[in-house]
């Protein structure tokens, strides 16, 4: 099992840490939705950021690094170019969701001086999914039996 992670020194930087971050992000937003169930306290449309971030998580991790480099991958819709476009769109969705969650935090909760916890929950959900996506993508090796 040693050598599977690229220099991961702690649990949060390992693939199991990525799973824990993804789970924690969704746990935080579910907690906020339970504590603030009305649309007045926490607008239900704010959950869109987390859903888009989760879709981007799967898009980013559906493409292997070998497909992006073009190592023996020529089939598919567009080959290496298609894999790169898919990865680029996934990262754009991820960054867009993270920026939108910051906008929600400050625009809907900090500036109006209302209870900040729902905005923090939306932000932390997207930030944790973002970091877990990076850990899954770049923090592991992709050889089958390494």
């Amino acid at each position: 099992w040693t050598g599977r992670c690229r220099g991961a020194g702690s649990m949060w930087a390992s693939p199991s840490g990525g799973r824990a971050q993804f789970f924690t992000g969704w746990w935080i937003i579910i907690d906020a939705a339970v504590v603030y169930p009305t649309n007045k306290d926490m607008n239900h449309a704010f959950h869109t950021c987390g859903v888009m971030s989760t879709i981007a998580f799967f898009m980013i991790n559906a493409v292997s690094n070998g497909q992006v480099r073009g190592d023996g991958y020529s089939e598919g819709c567009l080959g290496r170019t298609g894999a790169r476009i898919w990865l680029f769109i996934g990262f754009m969705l991820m960054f867009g969701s993270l920026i939108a969650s910051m906008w929600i935090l400050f625009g809907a909760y900090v500036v109006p001086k209302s209870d900040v916890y729902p905005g923090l929950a939306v932000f932390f959900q997207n930030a944790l999914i973002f970091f877990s996506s990076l850990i899954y993508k770049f923090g592991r090796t992709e050889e089958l039996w390494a």
Side-chain angles (χ1 to χ4, degrees):
W1 193 83
T2 58
R4 287 186 103 97
C5 297
R6 297 182 192 152
S10 68
M11 193 279 263
W12 285 99
S14 67
S16 61
R19 288 188 290 269
Q21 287 181 7
F22 186 85
F23 168 78
T24 304
W26 274 103
W27 187 266
I28 289 170
I29 199 67
I30 290 170
D31 177 61
V34 169
V35 173
Y36 299 94
T38 64
N39 203 23
K40 179 186 168 288
D41 295 331
M42 181 178 176
N43 193 344
H44 300 309
F46 293 164
H47 295 292
T48 307
C49 288
V51 172
M52 295 306 291
S53 189
T54 301
I55 291 170
F57 172 85
F58 289 116
M59 286 178 70
I60 289 169
N61 291 293
V63 178
S64 70
N65 292 333
Q67 290 173 328
V68 174
R69 285 190 306 264
D71 297 342
Y73 178 71
S74 61
E75 299 90 32
C77 184
L78 295 172
R80 181 178 66 179
T81 306
R84 289 179 178 177
I85 291 171
W86 184 262
L87 187 66
F88 179 73
I89 292 171
F91 274 114
M92 293 297 290
L93 280 174
M94 185 67 74
F95 283 120
S97 297
L98 189 61
I99 291 168
S101 70
M102 285 185 243
W103 185 309
I104 289 169
L105 170 62
F106 287 101
Y109 295 102
V110 173
V111 173
K113 294 186 176 27
S114 64
D115 192 11
V116 170
Y117 177 68
L120 285 174
V122 171
F123 171 71
F124 280 122
Q125 177 200 21
N126 285 281
L128 288 169
I129 292 173
F130 174 77
F131 290 127
S132 71
S133 179
L134 291 179
I135 288 170
Y136 270 129
K137 183 69 183 162
F138 302 113
R140 61 184 168 93
T141 58
E142 294 179 342
E143 291 85 25
L144 293 176
W145 290 278

